[in-house]
Structure formats: C-alpha cells, structure tokens
C-alpha cells in the first residue's frame, strides 16, 4: 500500500484500494511500542479514516478546530499500567453474601 500519513505519535497509516473495503486501510504502530500496541493508541481523527467514516485523511482535511478545553489523546492504560487502570466500583450493598463455612472449635 501507499503511505497516506503519520500522526504525532509516530503511527503510520497506509491504504491500498485493490483490497476489499474494510481491509484496504491499516496502521503500522510506532516502533517505540514494540509488540505492546493496541487500538487505543490511535487518535480519534485517524480512527475515523481507518474505519472509512471519512474518505479524506486528517493530514489533508483537518477535523474541526481544536478547542483549548479539549484534552490531548491518551491511550487506555488499563492493560499497561496497573496503577492507572480503570476499576469500577459500586456504592450499593450487594444483594447476596458469600457463604462462610463454620469453623470447628479446637
């Protein structure tokens, strides 16, 4: 395929229209990731192009202007950094309790 563009994180995006739709666009992740890469490392503007939501890559037709209140893209740390992973919690009491076997006196 031909190189279409590169994002600011070093990921390179390719396209080959001789392949089937849905298989004609792909990404080569930045070498700094090695084999530790996942889909959350792709910024939203390139995600739109990869999934054929738009025909124009963001390096040719930039998305809507960036507002100063928008945060910069950050990958999902759940599988990489245990200190920053998302752990949901509930404030309601459970409806059932685990069974505790009775202990025998010694």
């Amino acid at each position: 395929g031909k190189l279409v563009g590169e994002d600011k994180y070093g990921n390179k995006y390719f396209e080959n229209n001789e392949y089937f739709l849905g298989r004609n666009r792909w990404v080569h992740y930045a070498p700094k990731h090695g084999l530790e890469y996942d889909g959350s490392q792709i910024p939203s503007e390139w995600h739109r192009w990869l999934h054929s939501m738009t025909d124009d890559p963001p390096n040719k037709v930039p998305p809507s202007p960036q507002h100063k209140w928008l945060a910069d893209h950050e990958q999902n740390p759940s599988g990489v950094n245990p200190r920053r992973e998302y752990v949901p919690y509930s404030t309601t009491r459970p409806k059932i309790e685990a069974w505790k076997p009775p202990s025998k006196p010694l």
Side-chain angles (χ1 to χ4, degrees), residues 76 78 82 84-92:
N76 182 2
S78 290
R84 293 188 56 216
E85 70 182 357
Y86 173 73
V87 179
Y89 67 94
S90 176
T91 57
T92 60

Side-chain angles (χ1 to χ4, degrees), residues 19-35:
Y19 295 161
F20 292 112
L21 185 65
R23 299 275 185 184
N24 62 338
R25 296 176 180 176
W26 64 91
V27 59
H28 285 194
Y29 291 93
K32 67 180 178 182
H33 299 301
L35 296 176

Side-chain angles (χ1 to χ4, degrees), residues 48-100:
R48 295 181 71 232
W49 178 80
L50 273 176
H51 293 276
S52 300
M53 297 168 82
T54 180
D55 290 331
D56 301 317
N59 58 351
K60 292 185 180 167
V61 179
S64 61
Q66 291 290 327
H67 301 286
K68 54 185 166 181
W69 48 265
L70 280 176
D72 196 26
H73 174 75
E74 186 176 319
Q75 77 177 25
N76 182 2
S78 290
V80 180
N81 188 348
R83 285 188 235 137
R84 293 188 56 216
E85 70 182 357
Y86 173 73
V87 179
Y89 67 94
S90 176
T91 57
T92 60
R93 292 187 346 207
K95 295 181 180 179
I96 58 172
E97 294 181 20
W99 177 73
K100 295 178 185 172

Side-chain angles (χ1 to χ4, degrees), residues 7-24:
D7 63 17
K8 64 182 177 180
Y9 303 106
N11 301 322
K12 295 181 180 179
Y13 300 90
F14 295 88
E15 182 176 33
N16 186 350
N17 287 326
E18 293 179 9
Y19 295 161
F20 292 112
L21 185 65
R23 299 275 185 184
N24 62 338

